[in-house]
């Protein structure tokens, strides 16, 4: 029964990760457009603000919850598990930092508009995508390795 519970939790974790990845990919596309068409910048800021608050933040919290539960249910924990947790934790930390930047940028849009500050925040968001993607890739590679070992 314990193995079945672990497998269900792992599947829920994978689903949450997949949904989160889809949201991040969508946001990346949205964020690139204003650099080609500057008139889209305010709309991008508004869309990304609401996506982060209503969709992404709950997904990140679900990923954290399921990931922590899986960590405590995994036995034995190897150095590779700790490395995977490190990569995953870094991806989450980068994403949470990015959410803070996006929310602050969204709130600045409704106040006194500092155009250069908004563009600087948008460049920071794009840098977060790159850093987060690299960390997530490390965690994903190790996660797939563990899944194959478990199935094999």
């Amino acid at each position: 029964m314990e193995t079945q519970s672990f497998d269900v939790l792992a599947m829920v974790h994978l689903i949450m990760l997949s949904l989160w990845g889809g949201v991040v990919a969508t946001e990346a596309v949205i964020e690139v457009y204003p650099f080609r068409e500057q008139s889209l910048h305010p709309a991008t800021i508004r869309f990304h603000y609401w996506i982060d608050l209503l969709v992404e933040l709950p997904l990140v919290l679900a990923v954290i919850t399921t990931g922590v539960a899986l960590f405590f249910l995994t036995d034995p924990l190897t150095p590779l598990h700790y490395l995977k947790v490190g990569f995953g934790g870094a991806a989450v930390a980068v994403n949470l930092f990015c959410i803070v930047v996006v929310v602050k940028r969204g709130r600045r849009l409704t106040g006194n508009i500092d155009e250069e500050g908004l563009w600087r925040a948008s460049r920071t968001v794009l840098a977060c995508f790159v850093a987060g993607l690299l960390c997530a890739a490390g965690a994903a590679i190790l996660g797939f390795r563990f899944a194959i070992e478990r199935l094999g």
Side-chain angles (χ1 to χ4, degrees):
M1 189 64 158
E2 185 178 314
T3 301
Q4 186 178 8
S5 299
F6 185 90
D7 290 344
V8 169
L9 184 60
M11 185 60 65
V12 171
H13 185 65
L14 185 57
I15 291 168
M16 294 300 110
L17 285 168
S18 299
L19 291 170
W20 179 32
V23 168
V24 169
T26 301
E27 290 172 336
V29 170
I30 291 170
E31 285 289 340
V32 168
Y33 268 100
F35 288 93
R36 292 179 171 233
E37 179 61 51
Q38 291 186 358
S39 66
L40 295 173
H41 199 220
T44 295
I45 292 170
R46 284 187 202 95
F47 287 146
H48 197 165
Y49 175 88
W50 289 109
I51 290 169
D52 273 13
L53 289 179
L54 300 176
V55 181
E56 187 171 17
L57 187 56
L59 284 172
V60 171
L61 295 176
V63 166
I64 293 168
T65 302
T66 56
V68 168
L70 284 169
F71 178 79
F72 285 112
L73 291 175
T74 300
D75 188 40
L77 287 168
T78 68
L80 283 179
H81 285 97
Y82 289 105
L83 183 60
K84 179 185 181 293
V85 169
F87 278 129
V92 166
V94 168
N95 195 253
L96 290 174
F97 172 77
C98 187
I99 289 171
V100 169
V101 171
V102 166
V103 169
K104 284 183 176 182
R105 179 184 67 171
R107 290 183 177 160
R108 278 198 312 238
L109 181 65
T110 59
N112 293 333
I113 297 176
D114 168 19
E115 242 348 275
E116 183 51 39
L118 294 174
W119 283 104
R120 190 171 37 258
S122 293
R123 288 188 295 276
T124 301
V125 168
L126 289 175
C128 287
F129 286 131
V130 173
L133 183 61
L134 292 173
C135 295
I141 289 167
L142 290 170
F144 284 122
R145 177 183 176 189
F146 294 138
I148 289 168
E149 287 175 1
R150 212 168 144 71
L151 295 173

